Structure formats: structure tokens, C-alpha cells
């Protein structure tokens, strides 16, 4: 399992581009404009490497592009893709809801809630996701029966653990509960990034804590929360490939079933990669739309001048007491 | 005149440091009280205790006859009140902050409409006229669609005043409303506060604008070190202060001997 921090770094394209050249972006920009010999040399290297790469990929027969084409839209691959999407959406939903709850507990100030939230994050961030997945899958070894009771009352729900814990439920539990720990920290940092003057202004107007959170804090915190939360969702899409160890037929496992039979390992992994990249691209586009929605009032400073100009100067003056409307 | 705000023996500590030492203050309905004094004298803390943004460690605050943040127990003793009661009481107490604290994700009009809509649960159609009228009152009739970032500091503070007025408060608290403004923007905000005084609004204004206090205040309260040192009509406190600390503050603050404010500012 790849560490989360490494994953984050590899998903930031901008940092990769500038570190390649070994100069800070600002200097690089100036240097490109000056078009020195080094600029031409760098461009030449990039061009040569790119041509060489394309040539090798297209001419190496071991890639078996024909096989890739055969399986790209095959029924079992598409079914696997569907299951991967289903798993990603449900597990991330669990992660978002539980994460938000954990963040609110952590910020509530109630000692037991704070401790419980802290403990949860500590535990689920402290153990590998792969271990958690296998652990949930083997829950039946720990508890034979799973039941939901009213405290000291009758059971609402009771079942044999082995029938409840299918590869699917183990995958949802493993992925969702793990993601909740990360989401809790993302929500918490987002909420804490909002200046306390905002909550004071809301409270002074007579808003309850719930109204303040919903109408004042969260809409602003979302701007901070969305980029890492999107990262988490895109990460979830790919971490879900881990459930192939539980023999759940997601995208990767569907491909594995095929290449275990046909030994066309590389082309089928390419098929899988293509689908992951397609879905990631769609999610990234969606992210930019959501980000735009939540940056209302933040990115509009450029319009400032036009608004000031649009209104006459005579209106930009307090009404004289004589003509002022009475306070109602 | 009926007392709108009654502060009785107010004590506030931050950690071990006591910043308000059992302070008493009454503000009559329709009265304009200006709080002056050096930084750290407790002006802000006093205002923030009135609407319980800071929980007092002792003493009581009554607004319009009701204990703020407190309820009376079965035997008449004071016990901590419920959150819902405090929210209702806060709607009677408008507050304007030094740093405006407008909600940046909403237009000016929506800033003004937010509390009536969410706290009073009125529909947008019910409150939009009132909000427009308030924006017109602070001279920003054409700025309803502007986001806070598109407004100057003075304009933002005037929207903040309209936002506080939207809940039809019985008293307005101003916490150094012009201290974060460029000098040329101070006047437009003071003009709005002045017009509110003309309308008979009960106000407590913490301010460093002594000329404004001289002109608008019914009473000036000089605070230092968490106590009220001296209070009275501005013509006394600002022109002929009795206490040495007041004289020292005024001469240091104005950089001139006391008496310079003898003539009312011509604004």
C-alpha cells in the first residue's frame, strides 16, 4: 500500500513540472521568456524523450494494443468498473458523513466526544488500510453473531456474522471507516480555517450554533475542504482496487480473472489503467465546477472596480438624517 | 427614563488576569453612551459581555429588563439560561465589530437578510424590502448585489450596521467601529451612527473618535484598568475632567492640553 503522503505528492502535477527543471517556478518563467540556449536544450530533450516514448510504446508488440481494444469495452470489465464506482461512491459517502460527525465531535468541546473522535482518528489512521480490509472480512472469527440492540432491550437486528460480512460489506466498512478518519481531519481543518469573527457575528445576530455552522461557517469552510476532499474521493477510487484481495469483483479483480486465464497481464492492466484515468479525469472536472461554486465572493475582487463605477457617487454617501428612512 | 441596559457588578477574568473589576453601568432607553479609554481598559470586553460573546465571571447584565444568558430558578436565584433564550435575547442586541465581520460568501443584501430569514424564519420575499430600505439608509442602495470583497472598508462597515439593524434591536453596541478604517472612510461610518442617534436608538459606542463622542454622546464613560474612572456629559468629561487619569489620557490622546474639545466639532 502506497503511503498517503506520497500519493498526495504524485497527484500534484505542478510540483513535478518545476522540480524537473531544478529551478523555482518564478525563475523558470522568467527564463523561458528570455529564450536562452538552455531553453532550447530543455525543449529538445523533452521532444526527443517524447518521440522515443511514443515510438517504443506503439512498436513494442508486448503491449498488445489489439488485446487492449478487445477488452476495453468487454462485459466483465464494464461490470467491474460499475462495481468499482458503486464501491467508491458508497464508501466515500460513509467517509464524508462519518468524517463530518467526527469533526463536529472533535470541535464540540465535550470531553468524551473529543476523546472518542481523537481515538477514532488515531486508530484508523494508525493502521494500514489493507490490514483493516482483511480484518473486517474476518470479523466472523471474532464475533459469531452480529446484533443491534436497544440498550438493555430487545434486538432490532441479529444475524450470523458470516452472512452479513460479504466481500462487499467488508469493503464498504474497510474503505468507508478508514476514509472517515482522514475526512474528519479535512473537515476540522476547514472549519478551523474560518476566522472566529465570523462565528461571533453570526452568534451576535441571534443564530444558534447549528444555524451558524450551516449558513455561515460551512459554506466558507467548503472552499478549503473541497480540494483535499476531492483528493480523498479520487484516492478512494484507486484504493478500492485493494478489495481484490477480498475476491470482490471490482475493476482490477475482473481483469485479474481474465489474465489469470489468458496470461495477457500487461494489456489487461492497461485496460484497467485507462478506465481509472478516465474516471479520475471526470472527477477532476467535476471538482473544478464545485470549487467555482463555493468561491463566490472570494475570487470576485477583479469586479470591484466595475461595481464601484456602476453606481453613481451620489448614492455612495450616507443618506442625510432628514431624508433617512425610519428604522423599522 | 427607563433603563434599557443595566450592568451590575460585572467581573470578567481571562485566566488569572481580571480585566473587569465589578463594573456597574446603566444606559437609559434612547441614550447614546460613548466608552473611551486606553487600549486594554476593558471597553471591548464590557461590550462583549453584554451579548455574552464573553461569559462574565460575576455580576449580571439586564437588557430591556431581562437577564441576558441567565434564567431565574424556582427560588428566584439566577441560573445559567438556555441557549435558545440567549439566541432570542441576542436578537435585541445589535453588534457592530471593529473588523466588520461581514459574511464574505454572500452579497451585501444577503448579509442583511440572513438573520431575519434564518433566525426569524421569514421568507426572502418578506424581508427583501426591509433589507433594501436598510441598505438605502446606510447610503448603499445600489450595492445590494456587491460581495464584501468588492466594497471599501467604510462601505463594509455600513453594511454591517444595516445587518445588525435588520433584527430590529433595542440596543446597538459598537466595538470601535472606525478603528480599522482608513482615515478618509471614518466620516461616512460616523455619519450613519449619528443618524441612528437622531432616530432615538439606544447605543453604546466604544470609540477613539473623541470629537464624535463630544458631538453625539449623551454621556461619556472613561474606563481605565477595568473600572469606570469617570462619567458624565461630554462637556464635563472631555472638557473639564475631574480625575487625573482622565486628564492624562485626554492630553496624551489628543497631544494637546485638555480644553481643545471645548468647541463642538463642526461636521
Amino acid at each position: 500500500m502506497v503511503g498517503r503522503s506520497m500519493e498526495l505528492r504524485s497527484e500534484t502535477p505542478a510540483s513535478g513540472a518545476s522540480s524537473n527543471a531544478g529551478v523555482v517556478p518564478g525563475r523558470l518563467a522568467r527564463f523561458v521568456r528570455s529564450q536562452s540556449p538552455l531553453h532550447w536544450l530543455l525543449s529538445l530533450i523533452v521532444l526527443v524523450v517524447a518521440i522515443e516514448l511514443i515510438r517504443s510504446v506503439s512498436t513494442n508488440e508486448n503491449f498488445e494494443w489489439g488485446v487492449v481494444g478487445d477488452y476495453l469495452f468487454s462485459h466483465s470489465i464494464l461490470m467491474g468498473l460499475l462495481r468499482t464506482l458503486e464501491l467508491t461512491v458508497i464508501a466515500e459517502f460513509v467517509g464524508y458523513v462519518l468524517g463530518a460527525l467526527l469533526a463536529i465531535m472533535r470541535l464540540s468541546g465535550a470531553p468524551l466526544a473529543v476523546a472518542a473522535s481523537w481515538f477514532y482518528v488515531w486508530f484508523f489512521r494508525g493502521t494500514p488500510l489493507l490490514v483493516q480490509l482483511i480484518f473486517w472480512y474476518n470479523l466472523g472469527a471474532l464475533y459469531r453473531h452480529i446484533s443491534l440492540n436497544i440498550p438493555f432491550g430487545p434486538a432490532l437486528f441479529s444475524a450470523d456474522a458470516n452472512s452479513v460480512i460479504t466481500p462487499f460489506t467488508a469493503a464498504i466498512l474497510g474503505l468507508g471507516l478508514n476514509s472517515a478518519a482522514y475526512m474528519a481531519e479535512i473537515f476540522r481543518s476547514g472549519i478551523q480555517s474560518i476566522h472566529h469573527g465570523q462565528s461571533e457575528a453570526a452568534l451576535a445576530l441571534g443564530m444558534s450554533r447549528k444555524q451558524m455552522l450551516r449558513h455561515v461557517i460551512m459554506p466558507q469552510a467548503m472552499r478549503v475542504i473541497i480540494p483535499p476532499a476531492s483528493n480523498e474521493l479520487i484516492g478512494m477510487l484507486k484504493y478500492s482496487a485493494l478489495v481484490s484481495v477480498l475476491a470482490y469483483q471490482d475493476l482490477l479483480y475482473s481483469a485479474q480473472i481474465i489474465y489469470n486465464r489468458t496470461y495477457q497481464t500487461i494489456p489487461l492492466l492497461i485496460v484497467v489503467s485507462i478506465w481509472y484515468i478516465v474516471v479520475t479525469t471526470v472527477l477532476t472536472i467535476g471538482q473544478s465546477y464545485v470549487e467555482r461554486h463555493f468561491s463566490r465572493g472570494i475570487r470576485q475582487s477583479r469586479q470591484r472596480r466595475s461595481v464601484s463605477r456602476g453606481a453613481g457617487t451620489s448614492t455612495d454617501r450616507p443618506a442625510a438624517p432628514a431624508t433617512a428612512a425610519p428604522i423599522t | 427614563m427607563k433603563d434599557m441596559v443595566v450592568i451590575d457588578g460585572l467581573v470578567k477574568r481571562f485566566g488569572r488576569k481580571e480585566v473587569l473589576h465589578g463594573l456597574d453601568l446603566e444606559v437609559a432607553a434612547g441614550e447614546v453612551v460613548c466608552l473611551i479609554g486606553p487600549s486594554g481598559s476593558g471597553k471591548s470586553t464590557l461590550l462583549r459581555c453584554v451579548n455574552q460573546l464573553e461569559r462574565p465571571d460575576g455580576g449580571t447584565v439586564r437588557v430591556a429588563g431581562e437577564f441576558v444568558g441567565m434564567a431565574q430558578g424556582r427560588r428566584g436565584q439566577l441560573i445559567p439560561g438556555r441557549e435558545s433564550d440567549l439566541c432570542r435575547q441576542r436578537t435585541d442586541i445589535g453588534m457592530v465589530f471593529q473588523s466588520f465581520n461581514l459574511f464574505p460568501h454572500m452579497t451585501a443584501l444577503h448579509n442583511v437578510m440572513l438573520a431575519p430569514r434564518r433566525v426569524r424564519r421569514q421568507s426572502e420575499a418578506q424581508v427583501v424590502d426591509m433589507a433594501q430600505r436598510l441598505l438605502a439608509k446606510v447610503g448603499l442602495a445600489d450595492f445590494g448585489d456587491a460581495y464584501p470583497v468588492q466594497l471599501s472598508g467604510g462601505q463594509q462597515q455600513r453594511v454591517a450596521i444595516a445587518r445588525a439593524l435588520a433584527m430590529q434591536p433595542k440596543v446597538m453596541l459598537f466595538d470601535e467601529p472606525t478603528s480599522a478604517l482608513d482615515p478618509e472612510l471614518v466620516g461616512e461610518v460616523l455619519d450613519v451612527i449619528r443618524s441612528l442617534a437622531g432616530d432615538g436608538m439606544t447605543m453604546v459606542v466604544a470609540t477613539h473618535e473623541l470629537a464624535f463622542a463630544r458631538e453625539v454622546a449623551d454621556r461619556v464613560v472613561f474606563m481605565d484598568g477595568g473600572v469606570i474612572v469617570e462619567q458624565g456629559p461630554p462637556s464635563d468629561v472631555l472638557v473639564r475632567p475631574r480625575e487625573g487619569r482622565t486628564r492624562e489620557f485626554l492630553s496624551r490622546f489628543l497631544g494637546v492640553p485638555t480644553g481643545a474639545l471645548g468647541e463642538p466639532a463642526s461636521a
Side-chain angles (χ1 to χ4, degrees):
Chain A
M1 154 119 206
V2 183
R4 293 243 172 179
S5 58
M6 285 176 64
E7 195 73 18
L8 278 178
R9 219 177 304 140
S10 64
E11 277 167 17
T12 315
S15 65
S18 58
S19 64
N20 258 351
V23 285
V24 296
R27 267 190 219 154
L28 183 66
R30 219 179 312 137
F31 152 78
V32 168
R33 245 178 275 122
S34 71
Q35 306 215 330
S36 70
L38 196 56
H39 168 217
W40 293 111
L41 187 67
L42 274 176
S43 303
L44 195 69
I45 292 171
V46 168
L47 208 65
V48 168
V49 168
I51 290 171
E52 213 30 49
L53 209 64
I54 292 168
R55 196 188 61 80
S56 112
V57 168
S58 56
T59 57
N60 185 338
E61 285 170 7
N62 292 335
F63 277 102
E64 298 182 80
W65 288 105
V67 179
V68 171
D70 289 344
Y71 281 108
L72 194 57
F73 296 102
S74 77
H75 179 72
S76 61
I77 290 291
L78 290 181
M79 284 308 292
L81 174 65
L82 210 62
R83 288 200 197 90
T84 285
L85 291 177
E86 180 190 30
L87 201 59
T88 303
V89 168
I90 297 176
E92 199 53 66
F93 179 76
V94 170
Y96 284 169
V97 172
L98 193 57
L101 195 72
L102 285 163
I104 291 170
M105 281 167 68
R106 182 72 184 271
L107 296 170
S108 69
L112 264 178
V114 173
S117 171
W118 184 90
F119 179 83
Y120 183 99
V121 173
W122 172 76
F123 183 81
F124 281 94
R125 269 200 326 189
T127 52
L129 175 54
L130 187 54
V131 173
Q132 290 172 27
L133 279 169
I134 299 171
F135 180 87
W136 286 114
Y137 190 53
N138 291 295
L139 195 68
L142 207 55
Y143 293 102
R144 289 285 163 77
H145 282 278
I146 298 173
S147 59
L148 191 64
N149 288 22
I150 297 170
F152 309 108
L156 294 174
F157 165 88
S158 178
D160 183 44
N162 281 327
S163 65
V164 175
I165 300 294
T166 62
F168 179 70
T169 50
I172 295 289
L173 281 173
L175 295 171
L177 299 187
N178 183 266
S179 175
Y182 289 89
M183 281 311 300
E185 291 297 277
I186 291 171
F187 276 120
R188 184 167 71 97
S189 66
I191 292 170
Q192 284 184 329
S193 74
I194 306 305
H195 189 261
H196 62 88
Q198 291 290 308
S199 53
E200 287 184 351
L203 293 176
L205 285 166
M207 298 178 90
S208 67
R209 296 205 158 265
K210 217 169 93 189
Q211 289 169 332
M212 168 192 89
L213 207 59
R214 169 144 176 236
H215 299 295
V216 174
I217 304 298
M218 281 319 282
Q220 298 182 60
M222 285 310 278
R223 209 173 53 84
V224 181
I225 290 169
I226 282 165
S230 306
N231 229 7
E232 192 63 28
L233 179 64
I234 289 168
M236 176 66 85
L237 175 74
K238 288 168 298 162
Y239 297 133
S240 72
L242 285 172
V243 303
S244 58
V245 301
L246 309 181
Y248 183 70
Q249 278 196 40
D250 72 324
L251 181 54
L252 177 59
Y253 196 70
S254 302
Q256 284 174 332
I257 290 172
I258 297 169
Y259 70 63
N260 282 342
R261 197 178 63 231
T262 65
Y263 297 102
Q264 294 162 317
T265 310
I266 297 294
L268 275 153
L269 287 181
I270 291 173
V271 166
V272 167
S273 302
I274 288 173
W275 279 120
Y276 279 119
I277 284 185
V278 166
V279 178
T280 305
T281 307
V282 171
L283 290 177
T284 307
I285 293 168
Q287 172 186 358
S288 70
Y289 276 102
V290 180
E291 273 179 27
R292 210 169 301 163
H293 173 77
F294 280 105
S295 59
R296 275 170 308 171
I298 309 295
R299 294 200 315 186
Q300 310 207 348
S301 46
R302 250 181 289 162
Q303 293 172 20
R304 178 170 171 169
R305 202 171 295 158
S306 65
V307 167
S308 311
R309 209 189 294 136
T313 43
S314 59
T315 57
D316 182 17
R317 200 168 289 160
T323 58
I327 310 166
T328 47
Chain B
M1 230 187 302
K2 190 169 151 279
D3 280 334
M4 183 61 81
V5 181
V6 180
I7 297 164
D8 192 9
L10 193 64
V11 175
K12 177 66 192 173
R13 292 183 207 96
F14 291 117
R16 260 186 298 173
K17 190 179 177 346
E18 190 171 290
V19 291
L20 293 177
H21 312 289
L23 196 138
D24 301 323
L25 183 69
E26 289 93 42
V27 181
E31 192 180 16
V32 178
V33 171
C34 281
L35 301 176
I36 62 167
S39 301
S41 58
K43 306 187 295 287
S44 275
T45 309
L46 172 62
L47 289 178
R48 293 162 61 82
C49 281
V50 172
N51 66 357
Q52 305 277 311
L53 285 182
E54 303 286 358
R55 289 278 171 166
D57 293 301
T60 60
V61 175
R62 266 175 292 169
V63 171
E66 219 178 318
F67 287 103
V68 183
M70 302 263 201
Q72 276 179 316
R74 218 167 289 159
R75 279 165 288 133
Q77 82 281 26
L78 287 174
I79 55 173
R82 286 183 308 190
E83 196 203 352
S84 58
D85 286 331
L86 179 58
C87 288
R88 179 179 51 75
Q89 290 166 338
R90 277 174 173 156
T91 64
D92 284 341
I93 309 167
M95 188 165 203
V96 174
F97 299 87
Q98 181 177 342
S99 49
F100 329 136
N101 296 344
L102 286 185
F103 305 132
H105 58 299
M106 295 177 192
T107 62
L109 189 66
H110 279 93
N111 264 277
V112 178
M113 291 193 299
L114 180 71
R117 285 185 61 200
R118 300 305 176 188
V119 179
R120 296 251 159 86
R121 299 184 193 286
Q122 292 172 297
S123 72
E124 188 166 328
Q126 279 175 294
V127 295
V128 71
D129 286 344
M130 178 269 305
Q132 282 288 5
R133 206 160 57 239
L134 285 172
L135 282 179
K137 182 176 174 56
V138 299
L140 295 171
D142 292 344
F143 288 77
D145 290 333
Y147 282 91
V149 73
Q150 299 166 324
L151 300 171
S152 72
Q155 291 170 331
Q156 286 189 52
Q157 191 63 299
R158 287 186 276 149
V159 174
I161 294 173
R163 179 178 69 176
L165 292 173
M167 292 305 275
Q168 299 157 306
K170 292 175 178 158
V171 55
M172 286 283 284
L173 311 174
F174 292 86
D175 187 2
E176 303 200 16
T178 59
S179 295
L181 294 175
D182 292 335
E184 75 268 23
L185 302 177
V186 168
E188 62 189 62
V189 172
L190 294 183
D191 284 345
V192 171
I193 302 174
R194 190 178 290 118
S195 87
L196 284 179
D199 295 338
M201 173 64 79
T202 310
M203 297 195 281
V204 185
V205 187
T207 185
H208 289 299
E209 300 290 332
L210 298 186
F212 172 79
R214 169 84 175 92
E215 178 205 353
V216 176
D218 297 310
R219 181 157 46 115
V220 170
V221 173
F222 173 67
M223 287 179 68
D224 193 11
V227 294
I228 292 175
V229 175
E230 180 173 356
Q231 57 179 311
S235 54
D236 288 350
V237 177
L238 295 175
V239 183
R240 290 179 295 273
R242 287 188 310 270
E243 301 291 330
R245 275 150 91 187
T246 317
R247 268 197 292 277
E248 194 190 331
F249 169 76
L250 290 176
S251 62
R252 200 169 19 147
F253 201 85
L254 298 168
V256 288
T258 18
L261 284 168
E263 294 298 312
S266 53

